[in-house]
C-alpha cells in the first residue's frame, strides 16, 4: 500500500481484544511495507556498521605504507557512503509510508465504527476521548508501526558491529560485546515508571480536551448566564495539571536519555583505555584500536533507536488500548444475530415498498404512507424510541455500563435511563414490511429508514454541499427548504456571505452551524432530511426551537411534501399533532391510546396532561377547557 493508494478499499476487521493485539494486527497487515523498510534499513545500518572497519583498514594501510591498499580502502569508503545515503533516504521514505498508511487504516476503522454506532458511541465513550483517539492516539500508533522496522535494522547493525569486533579485534570485541547489551538493557527498569507517568499525562490531557470541548459547545449558554469565567478557570486548572504531568513524564524520559549517553561514553572510555594498553604491549595494531573506537562511537546512533522503540511502544500501547476499546463496541446487543447473518448463505432481501413500520417492543404501528405522531411523556424515552425505529438501539454493553453507573449514583445521561435501556436489550427488532431491520445490511436499513434526532449536526461547507446527500431524487433542495420554512435562513446566509456570492446555496455554513440560531439550524437539518426522501422518515422534536406560527407552517409543509410516504414524528406540540393522520400515546413504554389529536384530547387524560402540560391540580379539577384549546389551534392555523 502506497500513500497514493489511500484510502484502503477495505481496512479489514481489526483484532480489538487488547491494545497489543491490535498493534500486532496492524503490523501483520503491513508486512510488505515493513519488509521494504527493513531491507533499506539494513543497507543503511550495514554501511554505518562497516564504516569503522574501513577506517581501521585505512589506518593500517597508512601505518604499513601501502598506497594501493589505501586506494582500495578509499573506494570502499565511497561505496559505504553511497550505501548509507541511499539506505537512509529510502528508509525514511518507506518508514513514513508505513506511519501514514497505518494511521490512515486506524482512522478508517474509527470512522466506520463511528458511522455504525451513531449516537450510541457517545453513551459508551466520552466525546473528549473520541477526539483524542481519532487525533493524537492515531499518530502515536502510527509512530510505533513506523519505528519497528528501524529498530530491527538498528538491532541488526549492533549485532553486526559486535560480531565483527570479535573477529577483527577479539580482546576489545569481548569488552564491547559485554558492554553493549548492558547499555541496551539498562533503561528497562525505568520504563514501567516512565510508562505510568505518560499514562497519567494522557489521561489528564484527555480530560482537559473533553472539558474544552464542552466549554466551546456551551459557550453561548455560558455567556448568557455569566459562567464562562468559571469554566475557563477550570480549564486553566486542568491545563496546569497536564503541564505538571508532562514535566514529570519528561524528567523520566530525560533520565533514560541520559543513561543512553553516559553508559556508551563510559564504554568508549573503557575501550580507549584498554585498547591503548593493548597497543603499548604490542598485542593489537593501531588500526584495530581505531576501528574499535570508531565502532563504539558509531553504536551511539543505532542505540538511539532502542530508546525510540521503547518510547513508541510506551506511548502507543495505551493509545492502541483506547482505539481497540472503541473498535470493539457493537452496534446492538444482538451479537448472536450478527453471527447468524454472517453465517447465512443468502442475504436478507429488503422489504417491498409500502410496508408498515412496527415496533414489537412498544406495540407502535406506523401505517405505510401515513403521517403518524408519537407522544411520550419522557423525552429520553422518545429519543431511544427514535433510535430503535431506525434500527440502531443502545447495545448490551452500554446498558450494562449504564446500569452500573446508575447503581453507583454516577451522574451520567446513560445512568439516568439505565433501567429503561436495560429493558430494551434483547427486545425484538423493529419490522418494516415484516422484515426485521437488524437482519438487513446496515447500509440498506439506513437507506430505508432515516432518523433525525433532536440535536442534528450541520457540517461546515456551503449549503449546496450540505444537501449533497444520498437521496431518491424525487425531492429537490428548493422544495425541501420551502417545506422547512427556510426563507429567512437563506436571506441570513446570503447577507453574511462574502461579496460576489449571489446564490444562497453557495453561502458557507460555519462548523456545526454555530453562526445560525437554534431554530435556523433545526430547519436546515429538517430540509436536509426531506431531500433524502427515505421510505420512512423519523423526526424527533423537529420544531422544538421555532415559534408557533413557523411551526404550524412547517407541519403543513412536511405533511404535503411527505404525502404518500411514511413519516413518524415524536413530539408533544399540539400544532404538529393536529396535522398528523393519527396520533399514538406511549405510556410506560407501551402504546396506551391511538386516535386523532382532538379525539385524544377529549377522551384520554394522560394524553391531555402531556400535550397541555397540565399540573396534577388541574387534572384533579377536570383539566383545561378543550373548546378554548381548539379555538387557539384554529386561530394559529388561520394566521399561519
Amino acid at each position: 500500500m502506497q500513500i497514493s493508494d489511500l484510502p484502503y478499499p477495505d481496512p479489514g476487521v481489526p483484532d480489538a481484544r487488547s491494545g497489543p493485539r491490535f498493534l500486532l494486527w496492524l503490523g501483520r497487515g503491513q508486512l510488505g511495507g515493513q519488509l521494504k523498510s527493513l531491507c533499506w534499513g539494513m543497507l543503511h545500518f550495514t554501511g554505518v556498521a562497516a564504516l569503522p572497519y574501513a577506517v581501521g583498514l585505512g589506518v593500517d594501510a597508512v601505518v604499513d605504507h601501502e598506497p594501493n591498499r589505501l586506494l582500495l580502502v578509499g573506494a570502499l569508503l565511497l561505496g559505504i557512503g553511497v550505501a548509507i545515503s541511499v539506505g537512509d533516504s529510502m528508509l525514511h521514505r518507506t518508514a513514513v509510508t508505513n506511519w501514514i498508511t497505518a494511521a490512515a487504516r486506524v482512522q478508517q476503522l474509527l470512522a466506520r465504527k463511528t458511522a455504525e454506532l451513531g449516537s450510541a458511541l457517545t453513551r459508551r465513550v466520552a466525546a473528549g476521548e473520541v477526539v483524542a483517539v481519532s487525533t493524537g492516539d492515531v499518530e502515536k500508533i502510527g509512530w510505533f508501526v513506523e519505528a519497528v522496522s528501524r529498530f530491527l535494522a538498528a538491532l541488526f547493525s549492533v549485532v553486526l558491529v559486535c560480531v565483527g569486533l570479535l573477529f577483527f579485534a577479539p580482546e576489545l570485541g569481548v569488552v564491547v560485546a559485554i558492554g553493549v547489551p548492558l547499555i541496551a538493557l539498562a533503561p528497562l527498569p525505568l520504563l514501567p515508571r516512565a510508562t505510568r507517568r505518560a499514562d497519567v499525562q494522557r489521561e489528564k490531557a484527555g480530560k482537559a480536551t473533553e472539558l474544552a470541548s464542552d466549554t466551546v459547545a456551551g459557550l453561548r449558554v455560558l455567556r448568557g448566564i455569566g459562567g464562562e469565567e468559571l469554566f475557563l478557570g477550570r480549564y486553566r486548572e486542568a491545563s496546569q495539571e497536564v503541564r505538571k504531568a508532562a514535566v514529570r513524564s519528561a524528567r523520566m524520559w530525560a533520565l533514560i536519555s541520559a543513561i543512553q549517553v553516559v553508559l556508551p561514553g563510559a564504554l568508549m572510555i573503557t575501550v580507549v583505555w584498554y585498547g591503548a594498553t593493548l597497543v603499548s604491549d604490542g598485542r593489537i595494531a593501531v588500526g584495530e584500536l581505531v576501528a574499535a573506537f570508531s565502532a563504539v562511537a558509531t553504536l551511539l546512533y543505532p542505540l538511539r533507536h532502542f530508546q525510540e522503540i521503547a518510547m513508541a511502544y510506551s506511548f502507543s500501547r495505551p493509545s492502541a488500548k483506547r482505539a481497540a476499546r472503541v473498535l470493539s463496541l457493537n452496534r446492538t446487543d444482538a451479537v448472536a444475530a450478527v453471527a447468524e447473518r454472517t453465517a447465512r448463505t443468502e442475504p436478507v432481501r429488503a422489504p417491498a415498498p409500502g410496508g408498515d413500520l412496527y415496533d414489537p417492543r412498544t406495540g407502535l404501528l406506523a401505517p405505510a404512507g401515513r403521517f403518524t405522531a408519537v407522544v411520550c411523556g419522557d423525552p429520553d424515552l422518545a429519543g431511544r424510541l427514535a433510535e430503535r425505529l431506525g434500527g440502531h438501539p443502545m447495545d448490551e454493553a452500554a446498558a450494562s455500563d449504564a446500569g452500573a453507573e446508575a447503581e453507583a449514583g454516577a451522574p451520567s445521561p446513560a445512568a439516568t435511563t439505565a433501567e429503561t435501556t436495560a429493558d430494551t436489550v434483547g427486545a425484538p427488532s423493529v419490522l418494516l414490511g415484516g422484515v426485521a431491520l437488524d437482519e438487513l445490511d446496515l447500509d440498506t436499513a439506513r437507506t430505508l429508514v432515516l432518523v433525525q434526532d433532536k440535536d442534528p449536526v450541520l457540517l461546515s461547507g456551503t449549503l449546496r454541499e450540505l444537501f449533497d446527500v444520498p437521496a431518491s431524487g424525487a425531492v429537490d433542495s428548493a422544495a425541501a427548504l420551502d417545506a422547512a420554512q427556510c426563507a429567512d435562513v437563506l436571506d441570513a446566509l446570503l447577507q453574511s456571505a462574502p461579496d460576489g456570492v449571489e446564490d444562497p446555496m453557495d453561502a458557507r455554513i460555519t462548523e456545526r452551524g454555530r453562526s445560525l440560531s437554534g431554530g435556523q439550524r433545526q430547519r436546515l437539518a429538517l430540509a436536509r432530511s426531506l431531500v433524502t426522501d427515505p421510505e420512512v422518515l423519523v423526526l424527533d422534536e423537529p420544531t422544538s426551537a421555532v415559534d408557533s406560527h413557523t411551526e404550524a407552517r412547517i407541519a403543513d409543509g412536511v405533511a404535503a411534501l411527505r404525502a404518500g410516504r411514511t413519516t413518524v414524528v415524536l413530539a408533544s406540540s399540539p400544532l404538529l399533532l393536529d396535522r398528523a393522520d393519527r396520533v399514538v400515546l406511549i405510556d410506560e413504554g407501551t402504546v396506551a391510546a391511538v386516535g386523532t389529536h382532538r379525539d385524544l384530547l377529549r377522551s384520554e387524560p394522560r394524553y391531555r396532561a402531556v400535550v397541555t402540560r397540565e399540573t396534577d391540580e388541574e387534572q384533579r379539577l377536570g383539566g383545561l377547557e378543550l373548546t378554548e384549546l381548539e379555538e387557539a389551534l384554529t386561530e394559529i392555523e388561520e394566521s399561519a
Side-chain angles (χ1 to χ4, degrees), residues 521-545:
R521 288 197 302 269
Q522 199 172 56
R523 282 178 281 163
L524 283 180
L526 175 60
R528 179 181 57 186
S529 299
L530 293 174
V531 164
T532 61
D533 189 39
E535 182 174 339
V536 178
L537 177 60
V538 180
L539 304 172
D540 185 9
E541 294 288 356
T543 58
S544 59

Side-chain angles (χ1 to χ4, degrees), residues 211-253:
L211 180 60
S213 300
D214 293 341
T215 303
V216 172
L219 192 57
R220 180 177 298 179
V221 177
L222 292 175
R223 286 175 176 172
I225 63 176
E228 66 270 21
E229 287 299 327
L230 175 62
F231 275 80
L232 288 176
R234 291 179 180 176
Y235 180 73
R236 291 190 191 98
E237 294 177 1
S239 63
Q240 288 301 312
E241 291 294 328
V242 174
R243 181 188 63 81
K244 294 177 183 178
V247 170
R248 293 186 72 249
S249 178
R251 286 173 180 170
M252 186 57 63
W253 288 112

Side-chain angles (χ1 to χ4, degrees), residues 310-329:
M311 292 181 64
Y313 180 74
S314 298
F315 280 93
S316 65
R317 182 184 56 80
S319 297
K321 181 180 178 181
R322 284 194 291 268
R325 180 193 172 198
V326 175
L327 295 175
S328 65
L329 299 177

Side-chain angles (χ1 to χ4, degrees), residues 391-416:
H392 36 98
M394 180 183 286
D395 58 297
E396 182 177 6
S400 300
D401 290 349
E405 292 172 353
E407 292 177 2
S412 68
T416 58

Side-chain angles (χ1 to χ4, degrees), residues 15-24 316-317 319-322 324:
D15 186 350
R17 290 176 290 177
S18 66
R21 288 178 182 271
F22 180 62
L23 291 175
L24 181 61
S316 65
R317 182 184 56 80
S319 297
K321 181 180 178 181
R322 284 194 291 268

